[in-house]
Amino acid sequence: MSGVEAESAGQANRVRCCVAGGGPAGVMVGYLLARAGIATLVLEKHRDFLRDFRGDTVHPSTLEVMAELGLLDSLLAIRHQELREIHAQIGDTEVQLADFSRLPTRCRFLAFMPQWDFLELLAAEGRRYPEFQLRLQAEVKDVVEERGRVTGVLVESPAGTSRIAADLVIAADGRHSTVRARAGLEVRDLGAPIDALWMRLSKRPQDPPQSLGRFDFGRLLIMIDRGDYWQCGYVIRKGRFGELRARGIESFRGDLAKVAPFLGDRLHELESWDDVKLLSVAVDRLRRWWKPGLLCIGDAAHAMSPIGGVGINLAIQDAVAAANLLARPLLEGRLSARHLEAVQRRRMFPTRVTQRIQVLLQEQVLDRVLDRDEPVRAPWPLRLFNRWPWLRRIPPRVIGVGVRPEHVRSPVREGRAGGG
Ligand SMILES: Cc1cc2nc3c(=O)[nH]c(=O)nc-3n(C[C@H](O)[C@H](O)[C@H](O)COP(=O)(O)OP(=O)(O)OC[C@H]3O[C@@H](n4cnc5c(N)ncnc54)[C@H](O)[C@@H]3O)c2cc1C
């Protein structure tokens, strides 16, 4: 029997909590609730976690959560890279933007590891609790509502369509959330003038040391050191991908060479547009994250801009806050709208502040300088970072820890977790 079949066998169609989506928010909240003794079913539409690159950052505040759960050593045993300083190359000036060494957290670095390894670890820990179920190849198609209350979901899987009843449905199905759409929750679009193109390029021993961003001639290239390759993100004006494609891959390689000439010797690795993935950037959030019987968290509640790479961290923080506030009412069978509203109240402030900063940077910096095909000079406020080292402590606070970091307070089920 395959792992998927094994996980699908003998599952009840009634659970206390049903989570739509097995991304960072869904797997974390599923794990935390099961750990508290709440029968929780996580439904993920894909057959595994192995997906294209969709962000590999694990921030200091997420590492702090993992430490609180006793999982930090297991997490750091996974192959990863640690970023302790952030540099950017702006025109011909190297600016040291961030120094993580003074953070008030156990881990004073940003870790990079494949998202599927992170999710596998959490799911494996979840499976130690009999209350945790993860069903793969299970796509939520609709919500079931009775008298104005969400009471379950309709799920499509290779076995057919089924209905899952739950006291609470958590929508963690990402920024194109089916659940939030079917539940009729209103989305507020905050606008994003950019898109990002992601690709891999090999890393060579003679390459310059990691500099997170290279910015010149109206072009911005993010480069994340992943050991033997660079994970590269090239920022373009929204909607320009079609135009770029029409100009051909050779012309695109020329754009990359202009902003990072040292990559010139390996740009042939981008054989075709199949090697370049478009991330259509969206910044939005729900006006109301819940309705009776339903709560949205992570990207399903608020899609973030890639600026700062904070989407995963916010998703995890939402999951921790949701478990902190909902585990006891769920256990005691007294969950009400008041508890769901409390989760939104807790998480709205950090979401709003972070999105505000992202939108400001998008509009005031990126929108103004993208596509200006001329050499760039580092603006004076950024050059101050090289002169006054204390300034470099601010970005790690904002990016690495964020606004209102959460701590695990949800209860732990009494007795031993199951093996395995
Ligand atoms: C190319 C790319 C690069 C990114 N880079 C970064 C980065 O460097 N750092 C960072 O912090 N963030 C990054 N992000 C954003 C980050 O991936 C998200 O903010 C984060 O994953 C949100 O977590 P989530 O659990 O809320 O949603 P998601 O990670 O989107 O997870 C949602 C899950 O739900 C599943 N799903 C969707 N619909 C259904 C359904 N109907 N039924 C069942 N399952 C469903 C999906 O398959 C997915 O597994 C990037 C995103 C992309 C696309």
Side-chain angles (χ1 to χ4, degrees):
M1 190 183 271
S2 76
V4 173
E5 285 164 342
E7 288 201 336
S8 303
Q11 288 161 339
N13 276 344
R14 163 136 214 115
V15 284
R16 280 280 179 89
C17 179
C18 177
V19 180
V27 178
M28 178 58 99
V29 79
Y31 161 66
L32 288 171
L33 293 179
R35 176 177 170 270
I38 295 159
T40 304
L41 170 61
V42 180
L43 301 167
E44 166 55 47
K45 70 176 177 184
H46 287 95
R47 64 200 319 266
D48 52 35
F49 294 131
L50 264 175
R51 227 78 48 67
D52 278 341
F53 172 74
R54 50 176 194 165
D56 290 353
T57 44
V58 186
H59 285 237
S61 47
T62 296
L63 293 166
E64 201 68 8
V65 164
M66 295 302 276
E68 289 167 5
L69 292 168
L71 302 179
L72 184 63
D73 290 344
S74 311
L75 185 75
L76 294 181
I78 297 171
R79 186 166 180 250
H80 67 281
Q81 287 80 39
E82 296 176 4
L83 185 70
R84 293 168 188 274
E85 290 176 353
I86 297 181
H87 299 248
Q89 184 75 35
I90 302 174
D92 54 12
T93 310
E94 162 125 353
V95 182
Q96 196 187 328
L97 285 176
D99 171 6
F100 285 72
S101 67
R102 302 286 185 100
L103 275 185
T105 47
R106 265 164 269 220
C107 298
R108 294 175 182 158
F109 54 82
L110 217 127
F112 288 98
M113 71 173 62
Q115 200 183 105
W116 49 85
D117 286 340
F118 177 63
L119 294 176
E120 277 295 350
L121 172 73
L122 278 180
E125 285 300 318
R127 286 189 192 100
R128 296 177 59 234
Y129 297 92
E131 289 83 0
F132 181 85
Q133 285 185 66
L134 169 66
R135 200 177 296 177
L136 300 168
Q137 286 184 294
E139 181 167 0
V140 176
K141 291 289 191 182
D142 209 344
V143 292
V144 180
E145 291 195 53
E146 290 167 58
R147 292 187 295 278
R149 183 187 170 82
V150 174
T151 56
V153 291
L154 284 185
V155 189
E156 207 171 85
S157 69
T161 304
S162 57
R163 180 176 162 152
I164 312 275
D167 295 349
L168 173 66
V169 172
I170 296 185
D173 51 344
R175 62 211 191 103
H176 304 295
S177 170
T178 302
V179 175
R180 80 180 188 188
R182 300 302 302 165
L185 293 173
E186 194 190 339
V187 184
R188 185 173 164 217
D189 187 1
L190 303 180
I194 53 165
D195 284 332
L197 303 179
W198 288 99
M199 67 222 103
R200 278 182 182 207
L201 287 167
S202 59
K203 193 165 163 265
R204 309 264 163 92
Q206 71 276 15
D207 285 350
Q210 167 139 349
S211 155
L212 202 63
R214 302 182 74 86
F215 192 29
D216 213 349
F217 296 101
R219 295 164 174 85
L220 172 59
L221 183 69
I222 308 297
M223 296 185 66
I224 303 169
D225 181 353
R226 301 311 314 273
D228 50 357
Y229 68 92
W230 294 104
Q231 182 73 52
C232 300
Y234 185 71
V235 179
I236 59 170
R237 220 170 258 292
K238 190 154 228 35
R240 287 273 169 88
F241 188 46
E243 202 180 296
L244 268 184
R245 281 182 73 116
R247 274 172 33 209
I249 192 79
E250 190 53 48
S251 155
F252 179 58
R253 290 192 201 118
D255 286 339
L256 296 177
K258 200 149 184 185
V259 66
F262 73 93
L263 293 176
D265 58 357
R266 70 209 79 163
L267 288 169
H268 60 273
E269 292 167 13
L270 301 176
E271 285 180 23
S272 73
W273 289 107
D274 292 342
D275 299 320
V276 180
K277 302 274 176 306
L278 169 71
L279 164 64
S280 176
V281 175
V283 187
D284 66 31
R285 64 175 177 256
L286 294 179
R287 286 188 197 278
R288 210 169 69 157
W289 297 17
W290 61 275
K291 64 196 277 185
L294 171 70
L295 173 71
C296 299
I297 60 171
D299 274 18
H302 47 73
M304 310 299 292
S305 161
I307 293 176
V310 293
I312 298 168
N313 196 40
L314 260 85
I316 295 288
Q317 303 286 316
D318 284 1
V320 173
N324 285 347
L325 290 160
L326 305 181
R328 282 187 202 285
L330 268 171
L331 274 172
E332 294 160 11
R334 55 178 181 84
L335 185 80
S336 72
R338 184 170 59 87
H339 300 107
L340 304 179
E341 192 185 5
V343 178
Q344 171 169 355
R345 224 180 308 120
R346 169 115 199 130
R347 296 303 305 157
M348 185 56 118
F349 177 65
T351 303
R352 206 179 260 155
V353 172
T354 313
Q355 288 184 325
R356 185 81 203 107
I357 296 172
Q358 290 185 323
V359 168
L360 223 115
L361 289 171
Q362 281 180 176
E363 287 171 358
Q364 300 302 318
V365 183
L366 292 180
D367 200 33
R368 288 186 183 190
V369 291
L370 275 181
D371 295 344
R372 283 196 175 188
D373 200 2
E374 55 194 45
V376 171
R377 217 175 109 71
W380 66 264
L382 283 186
R383 276 181 274 135
L384 288 182
F385 278 72
N386 281 351
R387 202 172 307 160
W388 295 333
W390 60 267
L391 276 177
R392 300 173 206 153
R393 292 183 214 154
I394 299 170
R397 278 272 182 173
V398 179
I399 299 170
V401 178
V403 181
R404 196 179 275 170
E406 302 291 344
H407 296 280
V408 179
R409 302 218 163 80
S410 46
V412 187
R413 176 182 183 267
E414 278 178 24
R416 248 170 56 84

